Amino acid sequence: MRTHSRILWSRLFRRCAAFFLATLAVWALLAGTGWGLAAGSLDALTSSPLFVSAALQAELGNVETGTTMDELDFWQRLVVDQSALLRQGAGIDDTDPLAAQPTPSAAPAPSATPPLEEEEPPAVTAAPGDIVERTLVPTSTDGYAYADGLYLYNRTNLSVDLAAAASAPIKAQLPQEGPQILIIHTHATEAYTPDGSDVYTPSDQNSRTLDENYNMIRVGNEMERVFTEMGLSVLHDKGVYDYPAYNGAYSRSGAAIQNYLAQYPSIQLVLDVHRDALVGSDNTVYKAVTKVDGVKTAQVMLVLGSGSTHPNWMENLALAARIQRSMDTLYPTLARPMTLRSSVYNQNLTPGSLLVEVGTHGNTLQEALNGARCFARAAGQVFLNLTPSGS
């Protein structure tokens, strides 16, 4: 609650100050020039890029400069800079939401020892009316690996041939018998902004809950339902690996994945389903949202691991590129750019492993469920082509 108060007072102060200065400026302009000249002056002022930039800065707060993100515009930087997951392993302490963006040398190179898992993100929440909506899509290819409409944000020092990955055959092939897809949640307690009837009891002071009706397990249920209706066989693990201890969740979920693969050799695809968290430097909470058939829908992001313990990461990227293109075809603007990281995220266990982020903690549960359904339909089209009848 105290964090939410800080968000409201900070934004209220900036808006009141901006309104006062604007009123004072207009009064002085009218007093000195008269209405005719004042109208022309105001028109010139609002056409000035410097004025627009200053106005945006007054509303959104300062944006760090002199970093590797300067080649992207503000909202492109927001896609990667304000994400708790994407900051992981980049030399930024997730316990400090005001931490500066690292320089290129700060990004860790792949190593034989997996990097430490991320610390639990800070408890920054907001009321639905105070959350800022953004549709996070690239406006240019600057800062991305790009190939024929596909965008990849590369947070590693690896060279990526996205065109080759997009055209490469997918190694995973789905058998006719047994479960084909495993849905798991390393951070099962992640939840969304309470709204309407979707109100839950937090498991801590963050946007998390043990109630399966409102956390990532509910989102996984929606994916499972769509995949099953399409004729795919799904095993949904509803275990909780991030509570009571958040750190070490990937080790615990990784052990579970290995057990499932040993018990069910038919599993070829592993989807670790999460949600993201987007918080600005001034504690403004954002949500990634688009519209599908006029309905607000959480955007979806595919995150890929790499590193020396995961030498075959290009096989996972080939699958991700195929799914990304399917999403772009069926639901333009549903997908945020793919992201490649130095962490492994257990994706070295199968060539069909992906981390799927459905929305952010600023989205509502209903928006997330809409996004999950759209993702499953798009991904399901790709998965059906991996079956004996589809190949």
Side-chain angles (χ1 to χ4, degrees):
M1 292 298 293
R2 287 181 298 174
T3 301
H4 178 47
S5 296
R6 286 200 304 272
I7 297 172
L8 290 175
W9 282 112
S10 172
R11 296 178 68 186
L12 180 61
F13 175 78
R14 288 199 310 275
R15 288 174 175 175
C16 288
F19 179 77
F20 172 76
L21 291 175
T23 303
L24 184 62
V26 171
W27 177 84
L29 194 62
L30 291 174
T33 64
W35 287 102
L37 291 176
S41 299
L42 285 173
D43 181 67
L45 181 64
T46 55
S47 300
S48 167
L50 292 177
F51 172 79
V52 174
S53 176
L56 285 173
Q57 187 175 26
E59 167 61 18
L60 299 173
N62 290 328
V63 179
E64 294 290 335
T65 58
T67 69
T68 58
M69 302 295 287
D70 286 344
E71 60 194 28
L72 303 179
D73 64 31
F74 176 76
W75 295 117
Q76 288 174 323
R77 291 198 300 271
L78 178 63
V79 174
V80 292
D81 187 31
Q82 302 302 340
S83 165
L85 177 66
L86 300 187
R87 289 196 304 266
Q88 177 196 353
I92 296 178
D93 183 1
D94 268 334
T95 61
D96 178 9
L98 303 179
Q101 181 69 22
T103 60
S105 60
S111 62
T113 302
L116 293 177
E117 296 174 14
E118 78 275 23
E119 295 296 328
E120 187 168 3
V124 180
T125 59
D130 297 318
I131 295 172
V132 179
E133 298 183 0
R134 289 290 180 266
T135 300
L136 303 175
V137 294
T139 57
S140 76
T141 60
D142 293 340
Y144 296 97
Y146 174 81
D148 192 24
L150 298 176
Y151 293 82
L152 173 75
Y153 188 79
N154 184 3
R155 293 288 291 160
T156 75
N157 62 357
L158 298 170
S159 177
V160 179
D161 188 341
L162 185 55
S167 60
I170 298 176
K171 186 173 182 179
Q173 296 295 313
L174 305 186
Q176 288 182 322
E177 302 295 331
Q180 302 161 321
I181 305 166
L182 171 65
I183 297 176
I184 194 168
H185 310 281
T186 296
H187 297 154
T189 66
E190 289 176 336
Y192 298 89
T193 294
D195 182 62
S197 61
D198 296 321
V199 179
Y200 56 84
T201 301
S203 60
D204 51 26
Q205 294 185 2
N206 213 326
S207 299
R208 301 178 182 278
T209 181
L210 290 169
D211 191 333
E212 294 183 4
N213 293 309
Y214 303 104
N215 63 19
M216 299 314 301
I217 293 174
R218 172 74 182 279
V219 176
N221 287 339
E222 203 68 16
M223 290 185 181
E224 178 186 12
R225 182 182 64 80
V226 174
F227 287 144
T228 302
E229 289 176 352
M230 297 179 73
L232 296 163
S233 179
V234 181
L235 177 63
H236 186 191
D237 176 20
K238 300 181 181 181
V240 176
Y241 302 103
D242 62 332
Y243 189 87
Y246 184 86
N247 199 35
Y250 278 103
S251 296
R252 292 186 287 272
S253 65
I257 293 171
Q258 289 177 310
N259 289 335
Y260 282 121
L261 294 177
Q263 185 176 359
Y264 303 102
S266 58
I267 293 175
Q268 298 296 304
L269 303 170
V270 179
L271 303 179
D272 191 355
V273 181
H274 297 243
R275 62 106 171 105
D276 200 2
L278 294 178
V279 182
S281 61
D282 63 348
N283 279 351
T284 298
V285 176
Y286 297 89
K287 67 176 176 180
V289 65
T290 186
K291 283 191 175 182
V292 175
D293 296 329
V295 178
K296 286 187 178 181
T297 301
Q299 289 185 282
V300 177
M301 178 171 65
L302 302 180
V303 179
L304 296 120
S306 64
S308 59
T309 60
H310 182 20
N312 298 320
W313 57 270
M314 280 286 287
E315 295 175 352
N316 303 74
L317 179 57
L319 175 63
R322 209 69 56 88
I323 295 174
Q324 186 87 351
R325 190 175 299 284
S326 182
M327 284 194 287
D328 290 344
T329 300
L330 294 177
Y331 309 106
T333 74
L334 172 67
R336 294 165 61 182
M338 296 177 290
T339 297
L340 178 68
R341 295 300 314 277
S342 295
S343 299
V344 178
Y345 304 122
N346 297 321
Q347 293 179 16
N348 56 338
L349 299 179
T350 74
S353 292
L354 292 175
L355 194 155
V356 183
E357 296 234 338
V358 182
T360 75
H361 76 309
N363 287 100
T364 67
L365 175 62
Q366 295 306 313
E367 291 167 349
L369 295 178
N370 293 336
R373 285 190 288 269
C374 291
F375 165 79
R377 294 184 192 115
Q381 294 293 333
V382 176
F383 299 161
L384 287 173
N385 286 327
L386 304 178
T387 63
S389 59
S391 57

